[in-house]
Amino acid sequence: MTAAAIARRIAPGEVLRGARVSLRLVTLEDCTARYESWLADPIVNQYLETRWRPQPLESIREFVAGMVDSSDSYLFAILENESGRHVGNIKVGPIVWNHLYADVSYFIGERSCWGKGYASEAIRLATGFGFQRLGLHRLQAGLYASNGGSGKALQKAGYRHEAVFKGQLKNAAGAWEDHHWFAVLKDDWRNDQ
């Protein structure tokens, strides 16, 4: 085990359990053809920055290996409680330790799981981890203006809309979109949202 893995604030295999989904750290065993298919699906990846280049299984494995050894990012598998299957990912990081804040990014890869509230529950679990286990002061997430579902999931999880950067992002169709930022401070967050 690397020094970074020892310093991690969650044990390998430890589960953060919610009502419908749970989170655990992503492992190399999660790097499957199914995971690869999520990143190749133009509907799933339309708001993911990974869409700009092919994501073969080897690249996915390299990314996950880097996350396993990271001292400033936590990549979690989103698991559907009912079936136990891996349906997406959520990341807390990179963490800016000097200022105690981090980005939160996520996706639900299984389209059959869209619209069930899984993303907002995963965001709540990851936010609780960031504040309670990592001692962070602020968590933030950016999204494309047209990604209304993601904005609703963040708001449901207690995040507030803070900023708009006009025309900052190029969408999958090649058009410019506004970049919306949401955030929550530890002092303003409630786990029961």
Side-chain angles (χ1 to χ4, degrees):
M1 186 176 286
T2 67
I6 292 168
R8 308 276 284 172
R9 298 191 183 155
I10 186 168
E14 183 179 347
V15 175
L16 307 175
R17 192 162 303 282
R20 292 165 294 171
V21 298
S22 296
L23 306 181
R24 67 158 169 75
L25 294 174
V26 172
T27 67
L28 289 174
E29 289 75 34
D30 294 312
C31 301
T32 63
R34 188 75 193 134
Y35 187 159
E36 183 180 22
S37 74
W38 296 339
L39 299 182
D41 182 333
I43 307 274
V44 171
N45 78 22
Q46 67 182 315
Y47 300 116
L48 303 179
E49 295 307 300
T50 57
R51 77 176 185 275
W52 297 106
R53 61 186 172 97
Q55 298 295 318
L57 201 49
E58 188 53 39
S59 292
I60 295 167
R61 290 180 63 79
E62 287 173 15
F63 173 73
V64 167
M67 290 292 101
V68 168
D69 287 337
S70 176
S71 62
D72 67 357
S73 289
Y74 290 80
L75 180 65
F76 292 98
I78 302 170
L79 307 173
E80 183 180 51
N81 286 345
E82 188 175 306
S83 67
R85 70 185 169 145
H86 178 198
V87 299
N89 292 343
I90 187 165
K91 184 175 80 158
V92 176
I95 300 164
V96 180
W97 290 109
N98 289 337
H99 300 288
L100 296 176
Y101 76 86
D103 291 344
V104 174
S105 55
Y106 49 89
F107 73 97
I108 302 295
E110 291 294 333
R111 285 201 259 162
S112 65
C113 294
W114 289 6
K116 294 184 176 184
Y118 289 0
S120 59
E121 187 170 342
I123 294 164
R124 272 194 305 277
L125 289 167
T127 301
F129 175 78
F131 289 150
Q132 296 162 354
R133 301 279 285 273
L134 300 177
L136 298 177
H137 167 70
R138 173 188 167 92
L139 289 163
Q140 60 189 26
L143 56 92
Y144 286 73
S146 62
N147 191 356
S150 190
K152 287 177 186 173
L154 286 162
Q155 289 176 320
K156 190 175 175 185
Y159 285 62
R160 290 198 172 105
H161 187 258
E162 283 195 340
V164 176
F165 294 92
K166 298 299 234 177
Q168 187 177 40
L169 301 173
K170 190 183 287 188
N171 67 25
W176 291 103
E177 280 196 39
D178 296 344
H179 194 181
H180 288 250
W181 279 92
F182 291 76
V184 64
L185 299 178
K186 183 177 184 177
D187 292 344
D188 297 333
W189 185 73
R190 293 185 2 239
N191 193 23
D192 62 350
Q193 263 129 351

